[in-house]
Amino acid sequence: MAAQQFASDNYAGICPEAWDAMAAANSASAPAYGDDEWTQRAADAFRRLFDTRCEIFFAFNGTAANSLALAALCQSYHSVICSASSHVETDECGAPEFFSNGSKLLVAQTADGKLTPEAIRALATSRSDIHFPKPRVVTITQPTETGQVYTIGEIRAISATCRELGLKLHMDGARFAHACATLQCAPADLSWRAGVDVLCFGGTKNGMAAGEAIVFFDTALATDFDYRCKQAGQLASKMRFLAAPWIGLFESGAWLRNAEHANGCATRLAAAIEGLPGVSLAFPVQANAVFLQAPESLLEALSTRGWRFYTFIGGCARFMFAWDARVDTVDLLAQHIAELAARSEKRGNRPLPAFAEARAESGVPG
Ligand SMILES: *Cc1c(COP(=O)(O)O)cnc(C)c1O
């Protein structure tokens, strides 16, 4: 059994920079419910990183952040356009609908989980009568659940379509740092300068113990959001422990380093398995995820060797890397896949059907 597993980037622990910031915030007592210097400093660190005056709120997890952000943008009779494979649709147990008192999610079937202006327009204009929930918001996941990154140009094109159709643009950035690392661009360029109104920035998958930040670039949309958080059980009384890790991540640069390391491990595994007989990548590797398409017998053998992975998307094996991924363990995984692929080829096993033909199984979050 390998010492480290890559089934989810949430398997990782807390990175030293986040841990040290927690310890620093633990050195004395401080005012509760966000009236403390750590929360103030963390919010300021966001404003510096994004180079703009935005409103920041801290929630315990991504489901709450996404759901409350969408609820803030919608009335109950509104609808939210999202991809069929989006986390809000498949992995949040109906929380967006629950917290918005019934706003409906309108799903677009797209090849790679990315929304396009065309798909948005088709859904937003399909009906305009009183019987259909009025489209109000578009939500995109950056990077997508299968690890594809929207370019700045793609986000700009989407936001232009949103503005034209009177829609707000929300970004689920559970791995926003990983997208910044891939594109090597400023966070501002990938968010408000590209037309994003609200961003949920993931801290957990970036090395924190827990915590996501809801960043309102359109500050008018943040009105009363503090009440919404409190009502939903998302106002931490000892807020400084949700806030301080962000200071550690941003001031040390670990937020980007962690993501670069995670992405690098995915690229490394992808490069090592490319060209092996009978296996392939189900999706282009653009962030910290690798989806391995392989014969069922190979995946079973990999599992027997002790490797853990999810197969909820099209039956392929998902590997996700975090800040703590050990390169030698990534190489060991690659070596095992190579050995099993060679053995499988000798036995004349045929690979599974391509992703498009495979049936997506029920989802597992994270
Ligand atoms: C992990 C993840 C979230 C947040 O999930 P929680 O378990 O609620 O923290 C949100 N969106 C995406 C795309 C994710 O991968």
Side-chain angles (χ1 to χ4, degrees):
M1 173 96 172
Q4 189 176 43
Q5 295 289 342
F6 305 120
S8 169
D9 34 1
N10 279 339
Y11 279 29
I14 304 166
C15 72
E17 295 82 357
W19 185 265
D20 290 348
M22 295 264 272
N26 197 36
S27 61
S29 72
Y33 298 111
D35 284 334
D36 62 283
E37 61 158 312
W38 302 98
T39 304
Q40 188 59 50
R41 276 180 58 200
D44 287 341
F46 270 93
R47 289 187 266 267
R48 260 196 310 280
L49 185 74
F50 283 94
D51 197 19
T52 187
R53 282 209 57 233
C54 42
E55 289 283 346
I56 328 289
F57 300 86
F58 300 106
F60 290 103
N61 66 21
T63 299
N66 282 336
S67 302
L68 294 174
L70 292 174
L73 301 175
C74 286
Q75 297 290 337
S76 57
Y77 51 83
H78 282 142
S79 52
V80 176
I81 294 171
C82 64
S83 150
S85 58
S86 64
H87 200 268
V88 291
E89 163 68 5
T90 65
D91 287 316
E92 298 190 354
C93 198
E97 295 92 328
F98 175 76
F99 282 111
S100 60
N101 285 313
S103 303
K104 187 176 170 64
L105 300 185
L106 304 178
V107 300
Q109 303 289 342
T110 58
D112 55 2
K114 273 194 199 176
L115 286 181
T116 58
E118 295 70 34
I120 291 164
R121 187 181 301 279
L123 274 174
T125 59
S126 66
R127 292 268 298 268
S128 58
D129 57 274
I130 196 80
H131 305 286
F132 194 71
K134 191 178 180 190
R136 170 70 175 161
V137 184
V138 169
T139 175
I140 57 176
T141 309
Q142 173 73 320
T144 66
E145 287 69 10
T146 49
Q148 282 69 63
V149 170
Y150 286 91
T151 63
I152 294 172
E154 286 171 331
I155 298 169
R156 285 201 170 150
I158 285 173
S159 72
T161 304
C162 288
R163 273 193 298 278
E164 184 195 325
L165 298 170
L167 305 167
K168 299 291 177 197
L169 182 57
H170 166 264
M171 180 179 277
D172 174 353
R175 301 183 182 89
F176 182 75
H178 301 79
C180 292
T182 299
L183 297 174
Q184 289 292 311
C185 68
D189 291 336
L190 214 46
S191 56
W192 65 273
R193 283 197 198 115
V196 173
D197 296 303
V198 184
L199 166 70
C200 292
F201 190 142
T204 313
K205 286 166 181 154
N206 198 206
M208 285 171 46
E212 317 276 304
I214 302 117
V215 185
F216 286 89
F217 299 112
D218 180 345
T219 54
L221 298 172
T223 304
D224 288 348
F225 194 73
D226 45 352
Y227 288 91
R228 197 178 285 281
C229 288
K230 173 66 188 183
Q231 186 183 47
Q234 291 292 319
L235 177 65
S237 45
K238 295 185 182 177
M239 180 74 87
R240 67 187 188 279
F241 297 112
L242 282 191
W246 289 107
I247 302 173
L249 286 179
F250 288 167
E251 288 186 353
S252 67
W255 73 278
L256 193 59
R257 263 196 319 277
N258 286 351
E260 282 168 347
H261 175 76
N263 289 357
C265 289
T267 309
R268 188 177 178 95
L269 178 65
I273 62 182
E274 224 161 2
L276 293 177
V279 307
S280 57
L281 300 172
F283 299 95
V285 174
Q286 296 175 352
N288 65 330
V290 173
F291 287 82
L292 172 69
Q293 188 91 58
E296 217 168 313
S297 57
L298 188 155
L299 296 186
E300 270 166 25
L302 208 52
S303 169
T304 304
R305 286 191 177 199
W307 294 101
R308 299 186 63 157
F309 48 84
Y310 289 118
T311 54
F312 64 91
I313 290 185
C316 48
R318 186 189 78 161
F319 296 99
M320 296 223 77
F321 303 95
W323 67 272
D324 68 338
R326 292 186 46 151
V327 170
D328 54 355
T329 312
V330 177
D331 289 346
L332 183 66
L333 172 60
Q335 182 196 320
H336 282 196
I337 295 170
E339 286 168 12
L340 293 170
R343 198 180 296 175
S344 180
E345 189 190 32
K346 226 184 273 171
R347 282 203 309 267
N349 262 335
R350 287 160 53 82
L352 281 177
F355 174 72
E357 303 161 36
R359 186 179 55 85
E361 289 166 20
S362 58
V364 175

